[in-house]
Amino acid sequence: MNDVTDPRPTGTDFIRQIVATHVREGRYGGRVVTRFPPEPNGYLHIGHAKSICLNFGVAEEFGGRCHLRFDDTNPETENIEYVRAMQDDLRWLGFDWGEHLYFASDYFERMYECAVTLIRKGLAYVDSSSEEEIREARGTVTEPGRPTAYRDRPVEENLDLFARMRAGEFPDGAHVLRGKIDLSATNMIMRDPVFYRIRHAHHYRQGDDWCLYPLYDYAHCLEDAFEGITHSLCTLEFENNREIYDWILDNVGFAEPRPHQYEFNRLALDYTVLSKRKLIRLVRDGHVAGWDDPRMPTIAGLRRRGVPPEAIRLLAELVGVAKSNSRVDPGKLDFAIREVLNHEAPRVLAVIDPLKVVLTNWEAGRVEELTAPYWPHDVPREGTRPVPFSGELWIERDDFSDDPPKGFRRLAEGGAVRLRHAYVIRCDQVVRDADGTIIELRCSVDEGTRGGGGGARKGLGTIHWVSVPHAVDAEVRLYDRLFVVADPDDVPEGGDFEVHLNRESLPTPSVAKVEPSVLTDDPSTRYQFERKGYFWRDPVDGLGERLVFNRIVQLKDTWRRQAEGDRAAPPAPAPAGAAESPRSESEDRPRTSTERKAARVADPDLAARMQRYSDELGLTPEDADVLTGSRTWSDFFEAALRVHSDAPAVASWMVNDLRGVLEGRELSELPFQGKALGRLTRMVSDGEVSRRAAKEVLERMAHTGGDPAQLVDELGLGRVADRDELGGVADRVLARWSAKVAEYHDGKTGLLGLFVGEIMKETGGAADPVLARAVLLERLGTRGR
């Protein structure tokens, strides 16, 4: 934990800046208390993860605490199943609320007394109007509201009716309690909002003790105040609710320093829905197998698919905290998963769509045991396993072509290919069945090429394989996205989001051939099936003798059009002495897709740039669209490229990170230009600064400008790659998390990601994560697998 007298938050987003200021000023006596308050009417989903990480993260970074509170004020939709599931998901994500577990329903009596206080002050009244009458009387955005017939009821009559409402004397809908505020308020929430309604329904915790239930706007600010919350962090849809939050606390009598609400952007993921109502429909209507269906965006679904918790936490970090909403491409989640699993998942061989190969010059019955590493050279881990090699092999069907296109480097008749960890083989004959389908390849093996030998065989492609007599059969589920459009809610009038469901999201399972080493591994092991993707054993259907593997994520995002090659060609050099183009305020920001398209129609040079960005520089169509939506953005990008030619990297920083620090400003209002962003991204690529630390530098640049290299030095964010220095940090982290260390040694090896993350926090994101991991493994006594 950080010393609260000298707060050093791991980031500089506006929420953490607010908290840091309050701690420095001594507000709340230096305390920081946040809360995560889900309503237990469904399962947690990926959208909740950002709020979870922010609330628990801020509390930890400032030496405070985060409460888990179930906002269970609606008896008709909530139950204990959801309470238990949410706690389980939170623990799996790596968060612990300790003794601070609370339920809003435990505050019903105190909330009731607060309402009585408001009635006595003449600030609340019982309204006996119908729901429709109340709605009509509220007015519109252009017309003020008007009082109903009950607004001026005497205080004593209100107190009497409210007590009888609690006693159960009236049916549902007979009366409501409303705040008496301002019927002409611009903010329509302030036009006498409803605080209480009658519901004769059984509550899963309170039973039938209550038939009078508070609404969210009334309840949640009081819950915060009862618990001593200092910073109530909500998503932006509650921005207008802040006024009623403050009104209730001020008028009930909570004095400063009291809780205050702060809003941040929510996490909205493309190609899925996050509305609980719609998720319930997906389950209820049988479009998915349940809340834990691996295609669902629920935490339970992501867990079952095999997504590690560290990846979800990393996604929350990548998305960042800002004051404007935006949608997130699922490719960012895929990136986070790969980033984590690249260092966690051992590599094994598996053939998804098998085609048989017979080695005609291999002695019948001969089996050779090859030694294959679990890890590639760029992952600092050790460990090998034996892989049997025989005269009959399985290879992927698409690794052979009887009509190979130009540049095809896999197997073709008369051609050769290298088998991973083994030999070079040559295809001599193709065997077909009566329908002409290829059923077998007859090949010859060059035994002088084992393990990469045979220097004359250069330029060959390498494919994976599995020995036929040793292969293990496994069902492989290649899950796809649940919807075929980025925004499933974008439907014609009268339409329904279900029309966008991807009917191919659950294809017929494949019967794959997997190397036998997996049989002795822990069932929770996540693998990289070489050249195919990351997989793990389904924790429900894959138990016991049955092998069922879920694909967690592909190695590449096949939903995006990829240009040839992994790196982009450098942009054409600018003329000598050329300056960055002046920025026109009228075209300063790429806005809607339609506006960006119109800009390219009006400016043929922008259209030509979009084509070049996609075809030559390898940008995705989405990024190319954003970066050519205005001359200002395109020129800024071009200037950055003149300093750092890795176009996809620069584009990612502009589209994702730079937009996040604008905070309502135009691009031309930033105190730095494109070349400065180019220098920063180049420093990241060269390993001089971590990406996480670079984001902090970018935040500083957005406020003060400055040279990235100088800011890295001033902020002490240079890459920490000294083994002894990191060793000291690792010792402190492991001592602080001794209980988790014990769990790690009991088999919860996934906690390694937590320890790496703590080192990154303590070093402000400056530690070399690969070296940090290696140092941790040394201290944890782990060698290889």
Side-chain angles (χ1 to χ4, degrees):
M1 299 285 185
N2 295 296
D3 186 342
V4 297
T5 62
D6 182 20
R8 300 178 187 273
T10 59
T12 55
D13 60 72
F14 76 97
I15 291 288
R16 288 175 168 86
Q17 289 174 0
I18 290 170
V19 177
T21 298
H22 291 168
V23 172
R24 188 166 54 249
E25 293 173 348
R27 189 182 299 191
Y28 307 109
R31 293 183 305 112
V32 173
V33 185
T34 60
R35 84 286 181 270
F36 176 62
E39 181 181 0
N41 63 350
Y43 280 66
L44 295 178
H45 55 63
I46 188 72
H48 292 113
K50 178 175 179 177
S51 179
I52 293 167
C53 292
L54 178 62
N55 277 284
F56 280 92
V58 165
E60 180 184 342
E61 290 163 25
F62 288 90
R65 66 176 188 267
C66 181
H67 295 183
L68 172 59
R69 179 205 309 143
F70 288 101
D71 191 11
D72 55 348
T73 60
N74 187 349
E76 297 169 313
T77 62
E78 300 157 353
N79 64 57
I80 194 65
E81 173 196 350
Y82 298 136
V83 170
R84 291 169 179 161
M86 288 179 173
Q87 291 185 70
D88 188 37
D89 286 343
L90 280 162
R91 291 191 180 98
W92 175 80
L93 280 170
F95 299 104
D96 187 1
W97 50 94
E99 62 186 17
H100 297 288
L101 173 63
Y102 303 97
F103 294 85
S105 57
D106 291 342
Y107 302 134
F108 280 172
E109 188 66 45
R110 295 179 69 182
M111 291 182 195
Y112 179 85
E113 292 301 326
C114 291
V116 169
T117 297
L118 292 175
I119 294 172
R120 285 177 174 152
K121 289 183 174 182
L123 297 175
Y125 63 97
V126 174
D127 196 333
S128 305
S129 305
S130 69
E131 184 177 346
E132 182 178 353
E133 289 170 338
I134 292 174
R135 182 170 57 250
E136 290 177 352
R138 275 226 173 95
T140 67
V141 292
T142 58
E143 297 178 356
R146 54 182 174 76
T148 65
Y150 306 99
R151 193 172 196 260
D152 294 324
R153 265 181 169 150
V155 168
E156 291 305 319
E157 184 179 349
N158 284 320
L159 288 172
D160 175 67
L161 284 171
F162 192 53
R164 292 161 63 192
M165 288 166 65
R166 173 179 177 171
E169 184 174 330
F170 305 109
D172 291 3
H175 308 285
V176 295
L177 183 73
R178 299 176 67 182
K180 194 173 185 179
I181 308 178
D182 182 1
L183 290 173
S184 62
T186 304
N187 182 355
M188 293 190 67
I189 291 175
M190 300 300 288
R191 296 184 183 182
D192 289 13
V194 174
F195 289 166
Y196 272 91
R197 80 287 201 213
I198 301 170
R199 287 291 183 273
H200 289 273
H202 184 83
H203 191 280
Y204 76 102
R205 277 177 62 83
Q206 302 299 332
D208 298 316
D209 290 349
W210 289 85
C211 63
L212 188 63
Y213 290 94
L215 275 72
Y216 172 84
D217 278 337
Y218 175 77
H220 103 277
C221 57
L222 292 174
E223 296 157 13
D224 287 346
F226 296 157
E227 295 175 16
I229 301 300
T230 58
H231 299 82
S232 183
L233 309 181
C234 301
T235 46
L236 280 168
E237 59 263 38
F238 295 104
E239 184 174 14
N240 289 338
N241 304 64
R242 188 195 324 142
E243 191 174 355
I244 188 64
Y245 185 105
D246 292 336
W247 186 92
I248 291 172
L249 292 187
D250 288 342
N251 285 285
V252 167
F254 287 96
E256 294 286 1
R258 60 162 176 79
H260 284 270
Q261 176 179 302
Y262 307 91
E263 304 85 24
F264 62 93
N265 59 325
R266 62 187 175 90
L267 195 165
L269 196 66
D270 280 348
Y271 295 97
T272 193
V273 292
L274 298 179
S275 158
K276 284 184 181 177
R277 177 177 57 84
K278 293 177 180 178
L279 293 175
I280 288 172
R281 278 186 57 187
L282 291 175
V283 175
R284 184 195 64 204
D285 296 347
H287 296 299
V288 294
W291 288 98
D292 69 342
D293 187 301
R295 296 167 293 169
M296 287 280 275
T298 56
I299 301 300
L302 294 167
R303 287 178 66 179
R304 183 168 177 185
R305 195 173 105 199
V307 175
E310 298 89 347
I312 297 176
R313 298 198 300 265
L314 176 57
L315 173 67
E317 180 181 337
L318 293 173
V319 171
V321 178
K323 296 180 180 178
S324 59
N325 282 325
S326 62
R327 298 187 66 86
V328 177
D329 190 292
K332 187 165 286 189
L333 172 60
D334 292 346
F335 166 81
I337 296 170
R338 295 187 197 104
E339 189 78 358
V340 171
L341 292 184
N342 181 48
H343 296 278
E344 296 288 340
R347 277 59 168 173
V348 297
L349 303 175
V351 176
I352 306 298
D353 185 12
L355 174 63
K356 192 174 185 180
V357 169
V358 175
L359 302 179
T360 56
N361 62 336
W362 188 268
E363 182 181 349
R366 175 185 167 194
V367 176
E368 217 172 81
E369 191 173 88
L370 307 178
T371 299
Y374 277 117
W375 313 99
H377 296 302
D378 60 344
V379 175
R381 299 188 67 172
E382 299 177 356
T384 61
R385 83 281 190 191
V387 179
F389 186 92
S390 69
E392 293 186 346
L393 310 171
W394 297 115
I395 67 168
E396 293 288 351
R397 185 167 293 275
D398 63 7
D399 278 338
F400 175 82
S401 175
D402 56 355
D403 185 20
K406 183 178 180 181
F408 188 76
R409 297 179 63 241
R410 286 166 281 167
L411 196 58
E413 188 169 11
V417 73
R418 185 178 297 279
L419 299 178
R420 180 75 165 147
H421 309 305
Y423 302 94
V424 171
I425 61 171
R426 174 187 174 86
C427 181
D428 303 312
Q429 182 184 356
V430 179
V431 181
R432 305 173 187 268
D433 64 13
D435 296 327
T437 302
I438 299 173
I439 58 173
E440 184 179 294
L441 304 177
R442 294 184 179 171
C443 303
S444 53
V445 58
D446 183 346
E447 295 194 42
T449 58
R450 174 172 172 175
R457 300 294 188 100
K458 295 182 178 179
L460 297 180
T462 300
I463 65 174
H464 61 281
W465 55 275
V466 177
S467 170
V468 169
H470 304 92
V472 177
D473 285 349
E475 179 183 317
V476 172
R477 298 174 177 175
L478 306 177
Y479 294 107
D480 209 338
R481 292 175 182 171
L482 198 51
F483 292 90
V484 295
V485 297
D487 185 1
D489 293 320
D490 184 11
V491 294
E493 185 175 350
D496 191 274
F497 77 101
E498 291 183 356
V499 72
H500 294 312
L501 279 166
N502 179 9
R503 308 299 172 180
E504 305 299 323
S505 63
L506 182 58
T508 302
S510 303
V511 178
K513 309 293 182 179
V514 186
E515 69 170 72
S517 69
V518 301
L519 292 174
T520 58
D521 288 335
D522 187 310
S524 64
T525 302
R526 296 175 176 88
Y527 300 98
Q528 184 190 110
F529 288 177
E530 295 203 46
R531 302 176 62 229
K532 304 307 292 183
Y534 291 99
F535 292 77
W536 92 324
R537 199 165 172 176
D538 187 281
V540 177
D541 296 335
L543 298 178
E545 297 298 319
R546 186 182 179 194
L547 282 183
V548 178
F549 285 97
N550 297 334
R551 182 172 65 191
I552 306 170
V553 68
Q554 301 179 70
L555 294 180
K556 293 183 178 179
D557 187 353
T558 59
W559 279 66
R560 289 178 177 268
R561 181 168 62 86
Q562 301 292 329
E564 288 291 326
D566 294 326
R567 293 181 64 84
E580 295 182 46
S581 300
R583 296 176 168 81
S584 166
E585 194 153 316
S586 63
E587 61 165 22
D588 204 8
R589 184 186 302 174
R591 292 180 172 86
T592 68
S593 177
T594 301
E595 289 171 332
R596 294 194 293 268
K597 185 175 181 180
R600 289 189 290 273
V601 171
D603 188 344
D605 184 52
L606 282 178
R609 287 187 182 186
M610 181 173 180
Q611 189 72 33
R612 178 168 67 89
Y613 292 175
S614 295
D615 295 346
E616 299 178 21
L617 302 188
L619 301 193
T620 67
E622 293 86 351
D623 289 354
D625 172 43
V626 170
L627 294 174
T628 56
S630 77
R631 171 69 66 168
T632 300
W633 276 71
S634 184
D635 286 352
F636 195 101
F637 178 60
E638 294 277 342
L641 285 177
R642 286 194 284 273
V643 178
H644 184 45
S645 63
D646 188 343
V650 175
S652 175
W653 276 90
M654 281 198 65
V655 171
N656 299 309
D657 302 284
L658 186 63
R659 287 203 293 183
V661 301
L662 285 175
E663 297 182 351
R665 293 176 292 178
E666 303 293 347
L667 190 63
S668 61
E669 295 174 326
L670 290 177
F672 65 93
Q673 295 182 332
K675 58 188 178 183
L677 181 67
R679 286 195 292 272
L680 180 63
T681 57
R682 186 178 63 193
M683 292 175 68
V684 175
S685 295
D686 291 345
E688 297 175 29
V689 64
S690 71
R691 197 180 197 287
R692 178 174 178 176
K695 289 176 68 174
E696 187 169 345
V697 173
L698 183 64
E699 293 267 3
R700 175 67 70 85
M701 290 169 59
H703 289 90
T704 65
D707 178 74
Q710 292 179 0
L711 289 174
V712 167
D713 289 339
E714 290 174 11
L715 297 172
L717 295 174
R719 177 78 79 176
V720 179
D722 181 88
R723 180 176 289 270
D724 291 337
E725 184 177 354
L726 282 182
V729 177
D731 289 339
R732 292 193 296 274
V733 166
L734 295 178
R736 190 163 63 241
W737 292 90
S738 56
K740 295 295 184 183
V741 171
E743 292 178 24
Y744 176 93
H745 287 300
D746 287 339
K748 292 186 178 181
T749 56
L751 289 169
L752 183 62
L754 169 67
F755 303 143
V756 173
E758 290 299 309
I759 288 181
M760 300 304 292
K761 284 183 180 180
E762 186 154 332
T763 60
D768 182 333
V770 175
L771 181 58
R773 177 191 172 84
V775 169
L776 282 166
L777 288 172
E778 291 174 0
R779 280 159 169 73
L780 290 166
T782 302
R783 294 292 185 271
R785 269 169 58 80

